[in-house]
Amino acid sequence: MHRRRGGMVALLTFVAAVVAFTWMHSRLGGDDAVALANARQLIGLERTLGVDIELGMNRWLARRAVLVTSEVYLYRLYYLPVAVTTLYLWLRHREIFVRVTRAWFVVAALALLVYWRFPVAPPRFSTPGTIDIVAAHDLLGSHPSKSVGGNLNSAFPSMHVAWCLWVAYGLHLAGSRWWPWLLPVAMAAVVLTTGNHYVLDIAASCALVGLAHIVTRPRSTGNIPVLGRE
């Protein structure tokens, strides 16, 4: 009974933390001018590195109506695999659930810090010619945003990609092979082509999840698989 109660507390604590993170994320508005200036710096760095591919990918997607619908679905409904994975790990792999939720706390805390200190506007605001594909074809019937505002100046890092990496990470530790990693790969393509994130946003998300793995990795793995070992 005590163990069951402790497990329920762990789940509810994690859910409450996600809600709190979402609220704080939405409240970290910042200054639009600063977010746009930082975005231009990011774009300049990408040009130097030769990875400024967002506008070309956005225009490529805009000409393919069939892909647009599927990408908007994935962008809007990504929380479903997150919720399913959370419940699966909590029900079937409690020790792994505890480990990956600790990793999520690290990712969330660092992401909020970056959003506060380095707000970045997404490509749909900072790059002329970019089409806001999700807004134009939104499942919820919304319209394109007219100002940066709210969490729209927190493009760096991409939490869409970070969440999907978290799903893949948890399922991998639970014994899955390569297939969970298809989700963050697909999400990376979605956020790039829809004008929502930059290549460096995705790199930052990978770095955050990788750092969280290192920080929360147990000294003695016991029966928990180590990342990369089947």
Side-chain angles (χ1 to χ4, degrees), residues 115-185:
Y115 293 152
W116 174 51
R117 298 298 298 171
F118 189 69
V120 176
R124 64 182 186 270
F125 290 112
S126 64
T127 306
T130 300
I131 300 171
D132 191 345
I133 288 179
V134 173
H137 302 271
D138 202 341
L139 303 173
L140 304 178
S142 65
H143 300 287
S145 304
K146 298 301 182 183
S147 63
V148 181
N151 63 359
L152 297 181
N153 62 12
S154 54
F156 180 90
S158 167
M159 284 308 295
H160 275 76
V161 174
W163 267 118
C164 292
L165 283 168
W166 182 84
V167 167
Y169 174 58
L171 292 177
H172 182 83
L173 290 178
S176 299
R177 294 179 179 270
W178 57 269
W179 63 265
W181 300 102
L182 293 177
L183 179 61
V185 170

Side-chain angles (χ1 to χ4, degrees), residues 14 95-111 159 162-163 165-167 169-170 173 205 207-218:
F14 178 61
E95 291 183 357
I96 294 174
F97 170 80
V98 172
R99 177 175 170 182
V100 297
T101 52
R102 287 173 179 169
W104 181 87
F105 277 110
V106 174
V107 172
L110 292 176
M159 284 308 295
W163 267 118
L165 283 168
W166 182 84
V167 167
Y169 174 58
L173 290 178
S205 299
L208 284 184
V209 176
L211 178 61
H213 161 66
I214 293 172
V215 170
T216 59
R217 180 175 51 192

Side-chain angles (χ1 to χ4, degrees), residues 178-211:
W178 57 269
W179 63 265
W181 300 102
L182 293 177
L183 179 61
V185 170
M187 183 56 73
V190 168
V191 297
L192 284 175
T193 54
T194 55
N196 283 285
H197 288 283
Y198 307 91
V199 170
L200 293 182
D201 296 347
I202 296 169
S205 299
C206 294
L208 284 184
V209 176
L211 178 61

